[in-house]
């Protein structure tokens, strides 16, 4: 049975390990800045592209295809440049969001949804794998438990993203999410070069 002291020890370990902290920040950035795009997608399709369910299905399918391509690339790459690929996932997804916010064309949204799916897969597959690898064996379960809490924080990103879309328009909201995601990804890579260079 896990005691409160063991939980506290896990939290202290996660807070004091540089690579674990960087990986947790990457996970949180994607949850709060990339995931809300899914919630804004129906508004984008109806209000900007003036289309219906088929367009929404197409954009969602392109993200799924991108996720398959991104995950396949990770599987084929082995242990080469995994930290750089993780950071690149944030930059790629952020760039996709930024361009969707700038160019109000469904064809561009289709292409960028593929890019967002690739970036998302790079982050998802590598984030958890690297956390499992860098965490000490006795803390591994507790570190992954903290990581799993990120999924419950999706509404924390959807709420301000929705408010931005209501206030400034959905394209501006998506653009801002893209800028923030790209900036944070680059900042993590620069401030934590050990993560960027991690093989």
């Amino acid at each position: 049975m896990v005691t409160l002291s063991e939980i506290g020890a896990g939290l202290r370990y996660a807070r004091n390990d540089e690579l674990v902290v960087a990986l947790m920040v990457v996970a949180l950035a994607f949850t709060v800045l990339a995931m809300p795009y899914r919630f804004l997608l129906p508004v984008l399709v109806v209000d900007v592209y003036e289309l219906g369910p088929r367009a929404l299905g197409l954009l969602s399918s392109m993200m799924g295809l991108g996720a398959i391509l991104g995950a396949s690339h990770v599987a084929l790459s082995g242990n080469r440049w995994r930290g750089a690929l993780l950071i690149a996932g944030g930059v790629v997804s952020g760039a996709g969001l930024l361009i969707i916010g700038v160019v109000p064309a469904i064809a561009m949204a289709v292409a960028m949804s593929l890019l967002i799916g690739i970036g998302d897969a790079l982050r998802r597959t590598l984030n958890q794998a690297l956390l499992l690898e860098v965490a000490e064996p006795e803390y591994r379960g507790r570190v992954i438990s903290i990581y799993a809490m990120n999924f419950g924080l999706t509404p924390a990103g959807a709420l301000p993203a929705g408010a931005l879309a209501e206030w400034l328009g959905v394209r501006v909201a998506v653009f801002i999410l893209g800028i923030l995601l790209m900036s944070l990804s680059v900042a993590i890579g620069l401030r934590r070069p050990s993560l960027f260079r991690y093989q």
Side-chain angles (χ1 to χ4, degrees), residues 105-182:
I106 184 65
M108 184 61 74
V110 169
M112 291 304 104
S113 291
L114 179 69
L115 203 63
I116 290 168
I118 291 171
D120 194 25
L122 292 176
R123 195 278 308 174
R124 284 180 181 275
T125 51
L126 289 168
N127 212 164
Q128 189 168 348
L130 294 183
L131 271 172
L132 284 167
E133 192 170 303
V134 304
E136 296 293 334
E138 62 267 32
Y139 293 109
R140 201 166 282 155
R142 282 168 279 185
V143 166
I144 290 300
S145 296
I146 298 169
Y147 168 79
M149 291 173 64
N150 274 294
F151 299 108
L153 294 175
T154 301
L159 182 61
L164 271 176
E166 180 71 23
W167 180 35
L168 300 172
V170 66
R171 284 178 55 204
V172 176
V174 172
F175 176 83
I176 291 172
L177 290 175
I179 285 286
L180 291 174
L181 183 56
M182 285 184 68

Side-chain angles (χ1 to χ4, degrees), residues 58-72 113-114 117-118 121:
L58 175 61
L59 293 175
S60 298
S61 298
M62 291 306 290
M63 282 192 287
L65 176 60
I68 293 171
L69 294 174
S72 299
S113 291
L114 179 69
I118 291 171

Side-chain angles (χ1 to χ4, degrees), residues 33-91:
L33 299 174
M35 291 302 291
Y37 172 67
R38 278 80 174 164
F39 298 97
L40 297 176
L41 202 51
V43 182
L44 201 64
V45 167
V46 173
D47 290 358
V48 176
Y49 308 132
E50 299 180 348
L51 296 170
R54 288 186 179 180
L56 180 60
L58 175 61
L59 293 175
S60 298
S61 298
M62 291 306 290
M63 282 192 287
L65 176 60
I68 293 171
L69 294 174
S72 299
H73 178 74
V74 171
L76 294 172
S77 295
N79 291 346
R80 291 175 297 176
W81 295 103
R82 290 181 296 167
L85 279 174
L86 175 64
I87 299 300
V91 175

